[in-house]
Amino acid sequence: MTGAFPRRKSYAKLLSQFNKNRISADVYKEKTINIVRTVLKKLKDIGLDVGSDLMYFDDDIFYPFITDIQNVERGWLVRYYDNNYFVRNIVIKSKISLKTTRPWFTEKIGVYQKLSDLGFSEYIVALPGPLTIANYSIDQAKVYASKSQMVIDYARIIAEITESYINNGIRVELHEPELCFTSQLTNELIRQIYVDLFSPLGEKVHLVTYFGVPSLEILNLLPRDLTLGVEAISLEKSMEIFDKLKDFSSIRLGIVDSRNTKMEKIDDLISLVFKLGDKGIHIEYLSFNSMTEFLPEVIAYKKVKLLKRVVEAIKH
């Protein structure tokens, strides 16, 4: 699973009650966790191996995550890359830093503790990547002389939170589609972000790029000990990229498209996975290419079943 999953209708009713002050925050949280548990049990029965909170408590990839950061506030709605949904950008009021108390992190840990008995082999949480969150940030106070300085401050904050999740037994997927679009990355900036801060955390960090694959120049700079999440469809466009992915110790392959309701053909998916495996690419995970939040729930479940069928086929 990548990030958010479609919300159940029962959750929409629950959220409406909460927003109208008809139920308390504690009741809302308890009932939401029960809904997430129900969905996760169904997904586990289908064959999902990695559990998460499905981002039920998140408005988007940035919020409430940014409530653990000093000197930022929510901005206005903007489209989130090549997706059919919007996020609110972030307005920077002064130099950013991590709050000492980290209330949202503490809240999330409590949620995952209530999901830990469901028996998944791993649990993972979604966080924004530093390049991506910086791309959606407005330096209103002009406190940063360059975008790179802002990115590094975000990277330090996110790396510290990432390490805290990992220390609590939860892996982290960094949503970093900006890697596929930026043209401003330098060797030094990659070193300061991913080599110095995230590489020591190893394969428990999933660097997910959504709809595409970073350029060869960027792939050359990324550390090989992270789990790299890339979209399978894009891989077929370049043999050079095939060869470069062999260097990574763990690949998370997005073989199912979350952008539309069309069902992929299982034979095509199986053929693609074998093709990449035969080229020496270390595929550790099969997943969606992005968040499924806005797929119809019934289609999302069908696509999870399709993923499981592909896994079963390649194991035999």
Side-chain angles (χ1 to χ4, degrees):
M1 196 60 58
T2 300
F5 195 72
R7 265 65 163 179
R8 289 204 151 184
K9 291 181 180 179
S10 57
Y11 173 74
K13 294 177 182 178
L14 179 66
L15 181 61
S16 176
Q17 288 180 312
F18 177 63
N19 288 336
K20 293 176 181 177
N21 296 317
R22 293 176 180 173
I23 57 174
S24 68
D26 288 342
V27 170
Y28 165 74
K29 180 180 177 181
E30 180 183 357
K31 290 190 174 184
T32 300
I33 289 174
N34 287 339
I35 292 171
V36 174
R37 286 179 61 87
T38 299
V39 175
L40 284 176
K41 287 176 182 177
K42 183 172 181 176
L43 290 170
K44 190 171 187 298
D45 287 343
I46 292 172
L48 188 71
D49 295 314
V50 181
S52 74
D53 67 346
L54 307 176
M55 291 183 67
Y56 258 73
F57 290 94
D58 300 73
D59 288 6
D60 55 47
I61 191 64
F62 303 133
Y63 190 85
F65 169 77
I66 63 167
T67 59
D68 281 350
I69 301 175
Q70 296 274 19
N71 301 320
V72 297
E73 62 184 34
R74 298 182 85 186
W76 49 93
L77 286 172
V78 290
R79 190 179 183 196
Y80 187 61
Y81 293 103
D82 188 21
N83 289 281
N84 58 349
Y85 57 89
F86 290 73
V87 298
R88 288 191 180 275
N89 57 20
I90 300 118
V91 177
I92 295 177
K93 311 295 284 186
S94 186
K95 186 175 174 61
I96 61 174
S97 61
L98 185 62
K99 290 181 180 178
T100 304
T101 54
R102 300 190 298 177
W104 182 240
F105 168 79
T106 303
E107 184 80 10
K108 278 274 197 177
I109 290 296
V111 170
Y112 273 79
Q113 287 173 344
K114 293 179 183 292
L115 304 175
S116 62
D117 63 330
L118 294 176
F120 288 94
S121 59
E122 300 173 9
Y123 286 85
I124 199 164
V125 66
L127 299 180
L131 291 166
T132 298
I133 194 171
N135 184 56
Y136 281 86
S137 295
I138 309 297
D139 184 7
Q140 190 176 74
K142 306 296 182 185
V143 296
Y144 290 100
S146 70
K147 194 69 168 279
S148 294
Q149 292 178 357
M150 182 201 302
V151 169
I152 291 168
D153 274 359
Y154 269 129
R156 289 173 178 148
I157 290 168
I158 295 167
E160 184 172 342
I161 294 175
T162 296
E163 184 173 14
S164 296
Y165 275 117
I166 290 173
N167 289 340
N168 279 273
I170 303 167
R171 296 174 185 245
V172 171
E173 58 180 36
L174 292 180
H175 290 219
E176 195 69 300
E178 186 61 20
L179 276 174
C180 296
F181 300 101
T182 185
S183 60
Q184 301 177 1
L185 278 181
T186 63
N187 198 329
E188 178 62 16
L189 188 57
I190 285 287
R191 183 191 64 77
Q192 289 180 283
I193 298 173
Y194 287 110
V195 177
D196 291 352
L197 294 173
F198 291 101
S199 183
L201 303 175
E203 294 178 4
K204 293 180 180 179
V205 177
H206 293 212
L207 188 59
V208 182
T209 59
Y210 291 179
F211 311 135
V213 181
S215 68
L216 283 171
E217 291 77 14
I218 290 177
L219 285 176
N220 282 329
L221 298 175
L222 291 174
R224 283 11 188 186
D225 44 8
L226 303 178
T227 295
L228 180 63
V230 292
E231 182 188 41
I233 299 169
S234 301
L235 292 180
E236 296 187 287
K237 300 175 183 176
S238 172
M239 293 302 295
E240 291 179 289
I241 289 178
F242 275 141
D243 293 334
K244 190 56 61 179
L245 292 179
K246 296 176 187 175
D247 299 340
F248 290 85
S249 59
S250 177
I251 292 293
R252 170 173 162 170
L253 197 61
I255 63 171
V256 175
D257 192 357
S258 66
R259 283 173 290 187
N260 61 68
T261 58
K262 181 180 178 181
M263 296 297 296
E264 293 80 358
K265 295 179 180 179
I266 186 169
D267 289 343
D268 292 344
L269 299 182
I270 293 169
S271 174
L272 178 58
V273 173
F274 275 124
K275 181 178 179 180
L276 296 178
D278 289 344
K279 292 184 177 296
I281 296 173
H282 308 291
I283 303 171
E284 298 292 334
Y285 302 88
L286 297 178
S287 72
F288 289 90
N289 58 0
S290 181
M291 293 188 274
T292 61
E293 181 177 4
F294 294 98
L295 280 177
E297 187 179 7
V298 63
I299 299 297
Y301 279 119
K302 285 182 178 180
K303 292 204 172 200
V304 175
K305 290 177 182 178
L306 179 62
L307 272 174
K308 182 60 178 178
R309 289 173 62 199
V310 173
V311 170
E312 290 173 342
I314 63 178
K315 284 184 176 179
H316 292 88

